[in-house]
Amino acid sequence: MPKKYEVTPVSGPIQGTVKPPGSKSITNRALIVAALAEGTTHLTGVLDSQDTQVMIESLNRLGIRVDHDRETCSIKVAGCGGKIPRHEASLWLENSGTSIRFLTALCAVGEGEFVLDGNTRMRQRPIQDLVNSLKQLGVDADCAEETGCPPVCVKAHGLPGGETSIAGNVSSQYLSALLMVAPAAQSSITITIQGEMVSKPYLDITLGVMAQFGVTIDRVQESVWKIQPQTYQRPVAYDIEPDASAASYFFAAAAITGGRVTVDGLNQDALQGDINFIRVLEDMGCEIKRERNSITVQGKPLHGIDVDMNDISDTAQTLAAVALFAEGTTTIRNVAHIRHKETDRLYAIATEIKRMGIQVEETEDSVTIHPGPIQPATIETYDDHRMAMSFALVGLKVPGMVIADPDCTIKTYPEFFTDLERLCGQSS
Ligand SMILES: O=C(O)C1=C[C@@H](OP(=O)(O)O)[C@@H](O)[C@H](O)C1
Ligand SMILES: C=C(OP(=O)(O)O)C(=O)O
């Protein structure tokens, strides 16, 4: 892929079908849970991207055998039955939030010294709350540079168990991490969530994957969860559904071009909360056809909306791109937590929308977009795959739109531009 990518506008409404790659969130959870399970698990429909590669490499470094067949998008994981084989490892997680948070908790189950680190941005992404929570459970864990961010050092002697609390307002990944490793502790673990939990639907993904491996959790009260020591039982095979956040770009392409796009392999009952992005498009005027194994979005004249995106914030940038083509103002609210992601996403959205000559207001936890004539621009991506994928959609309608550093989509969707071109009938 060249250093910059100029999007080719479409000559009319997009009509087509696409199947995005496997879910990042489910792939990385299934890898952790299969690693803890007894016996070999066969995962199919897995995502092959940087975020899953760093997870696979890390599990291998911990002595857990993970064989990835890229041709068939399948992985065999030889589970360690709750006993991590290596007693020392340095893990490199690039900028994969799920990987570093889930693996920090996994290392706490081990016996030995583990260091987890990532790229420059990862060293600015918080993890202190998770570290504190593990400490309350008797684990010797620290942020090595006292920044509250990676690198993280875990000196583990197994996970003793007990009572702990976890902040909910920064990232749901902390609680997901604790929940997934809790069955491998020496005694039961009780977790109390403090404050409002962000990104709640990701907890359903966690519970859903754990349930597939035979583990259940007791929700004692709304914010108190209790997990007994249990062994994950491997399922015969586990097929991972396509990524719903990735699907949002194709649904949005239909909305923006007034086209009709079908995403195969997902339905309204998908495990991933981001499937509810279609409800946002529906509220803006699109027609949605929900079928057993597909969802079709028919673009219609769009009107702006005011929407709380806390639950589905990975699609906030997608909505920002769609909002540019709506009649009237759109506000994306209650998403302060997206300032801690691959980049400060509220700042990035506002800055790049202004670059196109559009009026936008940014607050601590929201953006408001006032659509108007769009000036073509080179969009900066801040090494954030979702900036690249979302703002490329603007170029389907506006000639001259350029995406800087299109390769940043390797984080979750290396083939994104190929799939978008194919859907638009532009593949050579
Ligand atoms: O648990 C997960 O798989 C994820 C949770 C969300 O993060 P936060 O809980 O930090 O909002 C989401 O943004 C991320 O892409 C994946
Ligand atoms: C926030 C994201 O990822 P992570 O937190 O897993 O790095 C994302 O994929 O948008």
Side-chain angles (χ1 to χ4, degrees):
M1 191 56 70
K3 279 206 165 7
K4 289 186 179 195
Y5 177 89
E6 180 159 350
V7 185
T8 307
V10 290
S11 51
I14 296 175
Q15 311 273 351
T17 300
V18 62
K19 185 171 181 185
S23 157
K24 171 197 81 170
S25 294
I26 302 179
T27 302
N28 272 357
R29 282 167 173 75
L31 284 166
I32 290 280
V33 168
L36 282 171
E38 259 165 19
T40 299
T41 304
H42 192 198
L43 305 173
T44 51
V46 299
L47 173 64
D48 183 4
S49 76
Q50 188 179 66
D51 276 13
T52 54
Q53 271 311 314
V54 294
M55 175 65 91
I56 292 168
E57 278 162 29
S58 298
L59 291 174
N60 279 325
R61 275 172 181 252
L62 292 171
I64 296 158
R65 183 144 180 208
V66 182
D67 291 314
H68 186 182
D69 182 345
R70 302 182 108 140
E71 285 292 299
T72 58
C73 294
S74 66
I75 295 181
K76 283 200 175 116
V77 185
C80 69
K83 300 227 171 322
I84 293 172
R86 294 264 159 78
H87 301 297
E88 204 182 344
S90 280
L91 311 181
W92 181 258
L93 291 322
E94 291 290 349
N95 192 10
S96 173
T98 53
S99 301
I100 203 161
R101 277 106 180 218
F102 299 171
L103 285 163
T104 295
L106 183 73
C107 287
V109 171
E111 302 258 352
E113 283 196 34
F114 308 97
V115 178
L116 302 95
D117 201 359
N119 69 15
T120 309
R121 176 60 183 167
M122 180 58 96
R123 285 182 164 215
Q124 300 166 347
R125 296 185 67 189
I127 197 162
Q128 187 72 55
D129 289 332
L130 175 60
V131 167
N132 291 348
S133 184
L134 290 169
K135 280 183 172 175
Q136 289 173 41
L137 292 171
V139 180
D140 183 356
D142 271 306
C143 292
E145 294 182 3
E146 295 183 4
T147 52
C149 301
V152 180
C153 222
V154 180
K155 292 182 191 140
H157 307 282
L159 182 58
E163 290 191 12
T164 191
S165 58
I166 188 73
N169 64 333
V170 176
S171 171
S172 68
Q173 294 173 8
Y174 303 155
L175 178 57
S176 287
L178 292 171
L179 290 172
M180 282 189 284
V181 303
Q186 288 149 8
S187 62
S188 70
I189 291 187
T190 304
I191 309 169
T192 303
I193 303 164
Q194 297 201 311
E196 267 300 297
M197 175 59 71
V198 297
S199 299
K200 281 193 211 81
Y202 287 95
L203 299 174
D204 294 331
I205 305 182
T206 304
L207 300 182
V209 174
M210 290 172 73
Q212 286 286 328
F213 286 77
V215 162
T216 51
I217 283 174
D218 205 7
R219 201 161 178 176
V220 188
Q221 290 166 32
E222 177 64 19
S223 57
V224 183
W225 308 50
K226 189 163 185 178
I227 308 100
Q228 302 293 346
Q230 295 166 69
T231 309
Y232 283 113
Q233 306 293 331
R234 71 195 158 90
V236 178
Y238 186 24
D239 192 37
I240 292 165
E241 65 192 27
D243 194 287
S245 324
S248 75
Y249 308 113
F250 304 120
F251 293 139
I256 288 174
T257 67
R260 187 177 175 82
V261 171
T262 300
V263 169
D264 269 345
L266 282 171
N267 64 27
Q268 184 65 71
D269 300 327
L271 196 49
Q272 303 157 81
D274 276 7
I275 199 62
N276 287 318
F277 182 70
I278 56 173
R279 293 183 198 260
V280 179
L281 293 181
E282 200 165 34
D283 287 347
M284 295 179 86
C286 292
E287 275 175 22
I288 315 290
K289 192 167 167 207
R290 296 164 167 89
E291 288 179 289
R292 204 172 52 80
N293 198 32
S294 69
I295 292 176
T296 301
V297 171
Q298 169 69 62
K300 292 279 170 187
L302 300 167
H303 51 82
I305 47 164
D306 185 322
V307 57
D308 182 331
M309 299 280 280
N310 190 289
D311 277 358
I312 57 167
S313 70
D314 281 1
T315 62
Q317 289 139 301
T318 325
L319 177 58
V322 175
L324 298 173
F325 299 93
E327 181 75 41
T329 300
T330 289
T331 297
I332 300 169
R333 64 173 74 252
N334 198 15
V335 286
H337 60 302
I338 71 174
R339 293 193 187 276
H340 303 297
K341 308 258 173 176
E342 281 76 339
T343 185
D344 175 341
R345 286 182 171 164
L346 280 170
Y347 170 83
I349 291 171
T351 307
E352 297 315 303
I353 285 183
K354 278 184 210 149
R355 202 187 294 284
M356 292 183 268
I358 304 289
Q359 198 198 328
V360 54
E361 287 130 33
E362 176 191 349
T363 72
E364 198 37 47
D365 68 349
S366 72
V367 279
T368 297
I369 299 158
H370 303 277
I374 301 172
Q375 291 162 19
T378 296
I379 298 295
E380 294 302 327
T381 46
Y382 309 81
D383 205 16
D384 182 354
H385 53 140
R386 301 206 189 282
M387 285 304 289
M389 297 190 279
S390 301
F391 284 89
L393 303 173
V394 181
L396 298 177
K397 287 283 274 193
V398 179
M401 291 296 300
V402 175
I403 301 298
D405 187 22
D407 277 344
C408 66
T409 69
I410 60 166
K411 189 172 188 287
T412 57
Y413 200 162
E415 298 299 320
F416 173 74
F417 286 102
T418 310
D419 286 358
L420 183 65
E421 285 171 11
R422 192 177 300 127
L423 180 68
C424 297
Q426 294 166 344
S427 48
S428 45

